[in-house]
Amino acid sequence: MSGVDYLAPASVADAVSALRASAGSARLMAGGTDLLVQMRGGRAKPQVVIDLKRIPGLVGIRCEGGGFVIGGATSGAALGEHVALKAAWPGVIEAANLIGSTQVQGRASLGGNLCNASPAADSVPALIAAGAVCIIEGPAGVRAVQVEKVQAGPGKTTLAADEILVAFRLPARPARSSDAYLRLIPRTEMDIAVVGVGVSLTLDAGGVCNAARVSLGAVAPTCLLVEAAGAALVGTTLDDAALAKMEAAVSEACRPISDKRGTAEYRTKVACVLARRAALIAKDRANA
Amino acid sequence: MSDGNQGGVDLKVVGQRPIRPDGVDKVTGRAQFGADFHLPGMLTGRIKRSPYAHARIVSIDTRAAEKLPGVKAIVTSADFDAGAAGEVEAGESHAAMKEVAANCLAHGKVLYQGHAVAAVAATLPEIAAEALDLIEVTYEVLPHVIDVEEAMAADAPVLHDDMYTKGVTPKPGKASNVAAKHVMGRGDVAAAFKAAGVIVEGRYETAAVHQGYIEPHACVASWGADGQSTIWCSSQGQFLVRAMVAKILNMPLSDIKVIPAEIGGGFGGKTTVYLEPVALALSRKCGRPVKIVMSREEVFLASGPTSGAVMDVRLAARMDGKITGAEMTLKYQAGAFQGSPVNLGLMTAFACYDVEALALTGYDVVSNRPKVAAYRAPGAPMAAFAVESAIDDLALKLGMDPINLRLLNAVRDGAKTVYGATVRYSALVETLEAIKASPHYQTPVGKGQARGVAAGFWFNVGGESSAAVHVDEDGGVTVVSSNPDIGGSRASMAMMAAETLGLPIERVRCTVADTTSIGYSGSTGGSRVTFATGMAVVEAAQKVVADLKRRAAQTWECDIAMVEWKDGVATCTDPAKDVKPLSMKAIAGKTAKTGGPIAAEVSLNAQGAAAGFGVHVCDLEIDPETGRTTVIRYTAAQDVGRAIHPAYVEGQLQGGAAQGIGWALNEEYVYGKSGLLENASFLDYRMPVASDLPMIDTILIETKPNPRHPYGAKGVGEVPIVPPLAAVSNAVSRIVGKRMTSLPMSPAKVLAEMDK
Ligand SMILES: Cc1cc2nc3c(=O)[nH]c(=O)nc-3n(C[C@H](O)[C@H](O)[C@H](O)COP(=O)(O)OP(=O)(O)OC[C@H]3O[C@@H](n4cnc5c(N)ncnc54)[C@H](O)[C@@H]3O)c2cc1C
């Protein structure tokens, strides 16, 4: 790993120009828990590493317009300690806090988890279900993109080579709303999701669901938003029939591969099971 | 507890739980493991490995790599002694040196992905890596075979065209992948099955699993200008490394000094060499010290796992549960070279039970996988998985309690094993009874849970060992052990010396010596060190005591029979003498006047090792919708003779159980169609993490100390990995509602069975 330059710019503009100047030989680094592992393993060979954590706004959480703005490089540990954020978005936070171990939590960020573009990234289905929006900045200025539009395939994103994910925006939450994230791993930690499912929903005063989003991880080349699965819940009290319809939509959406981590059949089955369980947890939380 | 052992009644140190002597260094990072050693001018060695499962090496072109600035040496198998042959004692087996050499650097053919082909030493790791890319190996790719039964098929690609199955007459006319057929048995099996009230049978399968030690293989080798060489490495036997390197490089043993490093786990996997001869060959070529450290990926690809197996078992029993006969066929993967532990599988399979008629057949089968290495009780856990599952079937069929069924069939002293030994000093019955009476077994199985029980056996061995006891000038003591400490043996050695000498444990330190500083010893393996090397320590300490008494008698001018040695003090029992007792410190401070320094070294061939038995019980639950298993409660009981340091013995039981649970639930080598390993990392090779397991409760059975050892010790390190596979699987089978016959029982496999 000799001969790698390390830059820690103090502004997004500086980081963007460093990216441009490197002509593709630079990599952005948030926590580095993916990047450094890839560099050690020889899969990533950047000449320049651009650390994002010195840039104001990249680390930290602010409340804005009833919602939250989370810096793209904020660590999982910091997310877990934010009481208001955790109360509003328990599913997003439990997903972020599942990443790795205590040591990894001190570094790993939502931005890194998303931009590493693993279909099994834990926080991504939760963020998609939450309807989170990415604030992305590049030479042409700032744009806002739904999280589900960022992953383009394993290891690939729709960000341009000189763009930076600055922050995530989580919308304001209506009353009786909540979310949940569940994953299946054969072990209890330090493992990679065989399937991950995020569900976010809102109930009306009568307990009828009036908005729901369901997102799946590790069952396709990217994390998926399954609109039909969310739609199956809307207008229902999450009764058995509604849940069965949601499961059918989930099953329909799954396009998994069979690999060392699980067969396609198994992944599809478990996606349905976890979607049902996550929906019921989100409902209980919304009612609480 | 009454037995004829020395000091059996009034032990002061043995049986206590003093603080681990190597603990502070390990938790503060001061301990020097294999990769921690540096020398001036040291080069980095790296190994070029095969990308194919099976290929002929057409050519190796090193010219471009040699020209790279910073590259100091490149070696291939041509740098090894072509005549390397013979066998070397390797822990629990003998290693054929021709094959060990060909495993360290491939000769003519590569036999598995990751097989070493060439090695380079360079001034920087980056240069070594670049040089590897510049070494051009031309391969002719050959068809490969991974599965053990496919490897046995008549039309399978043959790995070694000179391999004719041993153990069959007449000698086969054709080379094959079956290295050997082993047959063992006694009695009239056909008659037993004919007369049987009940018969159970099954076909079982286990995957290859790795020892998973945390420390990857690592060594530094330095060739001296006069040929005298030094190797620093992490291994389970410095003498074994010396013997193997000497054979492979055709050197006299006395020209090689091997200095054992602290070892970060071995479990049997470090009873061979991979890097040491390569590093020394590189150093010989360029005259500079060379360090080679494996990556985790290399550890998985190219160091020994243990065999996956396919096993058929049939039991004949009376209606009261007495097993009268059994048939078993074991097919074990050996990896790329012969030498699976299938014979040990045959010997141990029914060792817990008194079965009159046995017909056992084993096949040692090569395929395009890394050569297997010893792993805790090599060969026994798989065979026990099949046998203990079959016994569970029998218990179900007869509606019998699984412990009672095992008690009815348990071996007792005097019984003959199938391999000819007589069972002695055994406590299987007591161990079964202890489990039966345990709080765990006495507690009803929780709702939605199931319980599994299984037993296991391991021989434990003795053998050649050396140890020295040096009395320091201040009256403290240094114990010199000949065996790398992989399980806390330094503590046990120091404790046995302290007990014998009558000293507090704080006054005794133990060190592990290099090959030039202590007499020969077999490797740390076979659960032999506390027994055999411990015996050498105790005998050396006894010699020291005799010497101390002689010196006291000389000082007091009394008969030595009138000197008593107790609690580290000599007292004169002659009423005619008015003398004050002499402490260790007093005698040690005046050695010049009494005959010089006080020290003793003992080398022996320890006989009388006693086998050990374990019984485990496991409660677990399964998520019926995902097939995921959670172990809720686990208890391991074991016949341990006497626990010298009970906490470390308990640690052995817990560690063995943890590894066995991993073997049962998630660990496996996963191969793709092209014969390449798909999970060469701890991420996808799923050993249990701490949070996966409950506290493993332990029960130490000390009712039958081994009278052949001064403090009653039996080996304890291997038995505990034998029962867990079946203990877990018997519980899983209960919940699934049918016999689980294939390990690992990963969530997907369990769900598929439940949904069938
Ligand atoms: C031991 C261990 C366990 C792990 N367990 C899990 C787990 O359970 N679940 C899971 O999902 N992951 C896991 N991971 C992977 C990793 O920790 C996560 O993906 C983490 O969220 C990555 O965040 P980071 O800040 O460390 O990313 P980095 O490594 O800094 O970056 C990852 C990638 O994203 C790019 N990037 C980072 N930030 C930005 C940005 N703001 N804008 C544009 N591009 C950016 C980087 O260039 C790089 O390509 C584990 C990793 C380790 C080492």
Side-chain angles (χ1 to χ4, degrees):
Chain A
M1 243 187 257
S2 66
V4 179
D5 284 332
Y6 171 84
L7 301 178
S11 70
V12 175
D14 285 353
V16 170
S17 35
L19 267 182
R20 295 191 68 121
S22 78
S25 68
R27 289 291 290 274
L28 298 174
M29 182 176 83
T33 59
D34 278 316
L35 181 65
L36 295 179
V37 174
Q38 289 163 13
M39 285 169 69
R40 274 181 171 265
R43 270 183 299 149
K45 292 178 180 159
Q47 277 153 30
V48 186
V49 168
I50 304 171
D51 190 339
L52 299 171
K53 295 191 291 295
R54 302 268 175 85
I55 302 173
L58 260 285
V59 175
I61 301 153
R62 14 179 244 286
C63 305
E64 205 179 273
F68 295 87
V69 177
I70 302 171
T74 310
S75 73
L79 298 174
E81 282 167 11
H82 199 287
V83 177
L85 178 62
K86 209 171 162 177
W89 297 100
V92 171
I93 303 309
E94 72 194 348
N97 287 163
L98 275 178
I99 296 172
S101 57
T102 304
Q103 294 91 325
V104 172
Q105 279 291 306
R107 310 275 305 179
S109 67
L110 297 181
N113 200 220
L114 177 59
C115 294
N116 185 57
S118 158
D122 278 309
S123 71
V124 179
L127 287 166
I128 291 174
V133 171
C134 301
I135 310 299
I136 294 169
E137 201 171 329
V142 180
R143 62 189 181 105
V145 181
Q146 291 288 125
V147 170
E148 59 270 26
K149 301 269 161 59
V150 172
Q151 288 190 335
K156 294 198 187 77
T157 69
T158 55
L159 267 66
D162 49 11
E163 284 188 315
I164 293 170
L165 194 168
V166 175
F168 292 88
R169 188 173 288 147
L170 284 168
R173 216 63 173 121
R176 286 180 299 281
S177 298
S178 200
D179 65 341
Y181 175 78
L182 291 175
R183 70 170 177 185
L184 187 289
I185 55 173
R187 289 182 289 200
T188 46
E189 58 181 345
M190 301 306 282
D191 215 332
I192 187 163
V194 176
V195 179
V197 182
V199 177
S200 176
L201 50 74
T202 301
L203 307 176
D204 70 14
V208 175
C209 175
N210 58 25
R213 286 165 66 92
V214 176
S215 173
L216 309 177
V219 294
T222 64
C223 297
L224 301 176
L225 172 66
V226 189
E227 281 170 2
L233 300 178
V234 173
T236 78
T237 55
L238 273 60
D239 53 281
D240 288 348
L243 291 169
K245 216 171 140 197
M246 178 199 66
E247 286 187 44
V250 164
S251 180
E252 180 71 20
C254 288
R255 292 175 270 129
I257 49 167
S258 285
D259 70 358
K260 61 196 171 192
R261 291 174 185 149
T263 60
E265 187 197 357
Y266 180 74
R267 287 187 147 122
T268 305
K269 265 189 199 167
V270 170
C272 296
V273 170
L274 296 189
R276 173 169 26 90
R277 291 180 184 176
L280 292 173
I281 294 170
K283 175 186 156 186
D284 283 350
R285 285 176 177 167
N287 274 324
Chain B
M1 232 186 312
S2 71
D3 60 88
N5 299 311
Q6 170 192 335
V9 255
D10 183 25
L11 295 173
K12 295 215 163 68
V13 184
V14 165
Q16 301 297 305
R17 298 171 182 245
I19 288 173
R20 192 174 183 115
D22 50 321
V24 171
D25 275 3
K26 282 179 176 163
V27 299
T28 57
R30 212 174 69 107
Q32 296 267 309
F33 292 93
D36 292 327
F37 197 77
H38 297 271
L39 284 175
M42 193 173 80
L43 304 174
T44 299
R46 286 281 303 269
I47 298 199
K48 173 104 177 165
R49 297 183 180 279
S50 167
Y52 302 112
H54 194 192
R56 193 172 309 286
I57 301 173
V58 177
S59 64
I60 305 174
D61 184 346
T62 59
R63 284 170 299 181
E66 275 156 20
K67 286 197 195 104
L68 186 70
V71 171
K72 301 294 176 191
I74 295 175
V75 294
T76 64
S77 67
D79 293 276
F80 284 171
D81 178 38
E87 297 207 326
V88 162
E89 181 272 342
E92 270 144 336
S93 58
H94 290 268
M97 287 317 299
K98 192 170 150 237
E99 287 159 7
V100 175
N103 197 33
C104 288
L105 281 173
H107 193 73
K109 278 213 296 188
V110 287
L111 299 167
Y112 55 95
Q113 176 203 12
H115 196 164
V117 176
V120 50
T123 49
L124 288 172
E126 292 78 3
I127 297 175
E130 207 183 323
L132 288 190
D133 292 340
L134 292 174
I135 296 176
E136 270 209 41
V137 186
T138 309
Y139 294 102
E140 176 199 338
V141 179
L142 301 170
H144 65 270
V145 60
I146 298 293
D147 178 81
V148 64
E149 290 195 310
E150 284 171 20
M152 293 174 78
D155 58 348
V158 170
L159 273 70
H160 306 275
D161 51 21
D162 58 349
M163 183 178 279
Y164 293 84
T165 310
K166 277 182 240 153
V168 274
T169 37
K171 182 184 167 183
K174 211 175 126 218
S176 80
N177 293 321
V178 182
K181 179 181 178 187
H182 299 265
V183 178
M184 222 173 268
R186 66 178 175 210
D188 189 342
V189 175
F193 276 93
K194 215 165 156 207
V198 49
I199 291 174
V200 293
E201 58 193 319
R203 183 178 176 77
Y204 295 87
E205 214 179 312
T206 66
V209 295
H210 198 272
Q211 297 82 346
Y213 31 81
I214 289 295
E215 183 199 20
H217 299 263
C219 74
V220 173
S222 180
W223 179 274
D226 59 356
Q228 294 193 61
S229 303
T230 310
I231 297 171
W232 292 261
C233 66
S234 160
S235 83
Q236 286 175 240
Q238 64 276 47
F239 293 95
L240 165 107
V241 171
R242 184 179 70 168
M244 289 188 165
V245 173
K247 287 252 191 231
I248 293 174
L249 298 183
N250 191 18
M251 296 170 69
L253 291 174
S254 52
D255 277 1
I256 306 174
K257 172 174 173 174
V258 179
I259 303 179
E262 194 65 68
I263 178 167
F267 310 107
K270 291 178 183 166
T271 52
T272 186
V273 293
Y274 300 102
L275 304 176
E276 293 82 355
V278 180
L280 193 56
L282 285 166
S283 178
R284 176 168 66 179
K285 259 198 163 166
C286 63
R288 286 171 63 171
V290 176
K291 177 191 228 169
I292 311 184
V293 180
M294 279 196 196
S295 66
R296 179 62 56 189
E297 189 185 12
E298 288 178 293
V299 169
F300 275 114
L301 287 175
S303 75
T306 191
S307 316
V310 174
M311 300 164 289
D312 291 282
V313 62
R314 270 181 96 209
L315 301 182
R318 295 197 312 239
M319 290 310 287
D320 66 355
K322 176 73 192 155
I323 302 167
T324 50
E327 277 177 348
M328 192 172 199
T329 303
L330 305 180
K331 296 161 189 158
Y332 278 24
Q333 299 161 3
F337 299 95
Q338 62 170 317
S340 77
V342 70
N343 54 331
L344 300 178
L346 297 178
M347 289 158 85
T348 55
F350 288 95
C352 287
Y353 305 109
D354 199 3
V355 181
E356 206 179 294
L358 290 169
L360 315 173
T361 308
Y363 297 94
D364 180 23
V365 185
V366 300
S367 64
N368 296 110
R369 298 166 168 269
K371 164 81 171 79
V372 300
Y375 181 15
R376 265 186 138 146
M382 323 62 153
F385 164 57
V387 169
E388 295 293 315
S389 295
I391 289 181
D392 197 56
D393 273 340
L394 188 59
L396 281 175
K397 255 194 173 166
L398 296 173
M400 278 182 81
D401 172 85
I403 303 269
N404 287 341
L405 176 61
R406 284 173 174 83
L407 275 169
L408 175 71
N409 289 287
V411 281
R412 288 155 209 263
D413 285 355
K416 269 260 185 273
T417 63
V418 69
Y419 52 94
T422 303
V423 178
R424 281 189 233 277
Y425 328 125
S426 70
L428 174 59
V429 169
E430 290 89 331
T431 309
L432 283 162
E433 264 156 8
I435 280 289
K436 201 171 161 185
S438 68
H440 184 169
Y441 204 71
Q442 290 294 319
T443 307
V445 183
K447 206 167 159 253
Q449 299 172 10
R451 178 168 294 166
V453 172
F457 162 93
W458 187 247
F459 314 88
N460 304 320
V461 302
E464 295 175 283
S465 276
S466 300
V469 171
H470 300 169
V471 177
D472 304 327
E473 305 93 283
D474 65 355
V477 163
T478 301
V479 176
V480 186
S481 166
S482 51
N483 283 97
D485 175 359
I486 62 172
S489 62
R490 270 168 297 187
S492 304
M493 299 300 131
M495 289 170 75
M496 288 185 277
E499 186 73 57
T500 310
L501 294 163
L503 290 182
I505 184 65
E506 299 73 31
R507 297 298 286 132
V508 182
R509 295 287 182 206
C510 181
T511 188
V512 180
D514 66 65
T515 50
T516 64
S517 309
I518 188 79
Y520 175 84
S521 186
S523 305
T524 298
S527 299
R528 62 178 289 276
V529 174
T530 304
F531 174 75
T533 311
M535 196 183 278
V537 167
V538 173
E539 288 189 14
Q542 286 166 343
K543 283 191 174 181
V544 165
V545 169
D547 192 13
L548 290 162
K549 283 162 82 172
R550 182 192 61 75
R551 289 171 199 246
Q554 182 186 334
T555 309
W556 293 328
E557 295 177 343
C558 73
D559 185 346
I560 190 165
M562 293 284 150
V563 180
E564 189 188 77
W565 184 265
K566 200 163 173 263
D567 297 338
V569 177
T571 326
C572 188
T573 55
D574 184 349
K577 298 266 176 193
D578 181 22
V579 292
K580 283 211 190 86
L582 276 172
S583 69
M584 183 86 163
K585 195 172 170 182
I587 301 173
K590 292 207 178 88
T591 52
K593 293 202 178 88
T594 56
I598 308 171
E601 181 167 336
V602 168
S603 291
L604 48 69
N605 188 4
Q607 303 298 313
F613 297 87
V615 181
H616 292 196
V617 49
C618 171
D619 290 6
L620 51 78
E621 61 190 22
I622 300 176
D623 182 333
E625 290 183 314
T626 65
R628 203 177 160 284
T629 298
T630 304
V631 177
I632 305 291
R633 188 170 184 183
Y634 198 100
T635 304
Q638 192 171 312
D639 164 19
V640 300
R642 181 178 285 114
I644 305 300
H645 192 307
Y648 299 167
V649 174
E650 289 158 6
Q652 291 294 325
L653 269 56
Q654 291 166 325
Q659 287 182 314
I661 293 169
W663 196 333
L665 290 180
N666 284 308
E667 291 179 40
E668 66 180 313
Y669 270 45
V670 181
Y671 282 90
K673 280 207 177 63
S674 48
L676 306 185
L677 184 61
E678 294 191 339
N679 60 336
S681 78
F682 272 141
L683 176 58
D684 287 306
Y685 180 85
R686 292 180 158 114
M687 299 193 83
V689 296
S691 54
D692 289 347
L693 300 174
M695 186 63 184
I696 311 270
D697 294 319
T698 56
I699 304 172
L700 306 185
I701 308 301
E702 298 188 89
T703 49
K704 289 273 197 77
N706 179 4
R708 304 286 298 277
H709 180 271
Y711 292 109
K714 292 177 183 171
V716 300
E718 294 174 284
V719 174
I721 201 171
V722 184
L725 283 58
V728 173
S729 151
N730 288 342
V732 172
S733 299
R734 211 59 105 245
I735 293 182
V736 173
K738 63 184 100 153
R739 178 60 49 195
M740 296 300 288
T741 57
S742 165
L743 302 187
M745 296 174 290
S746 58
K749 208 185 267 178
V750 170
L751 191 66
E753 282 302 323
M754 288 176 115
D755 286 354
K756 254 186 207 163

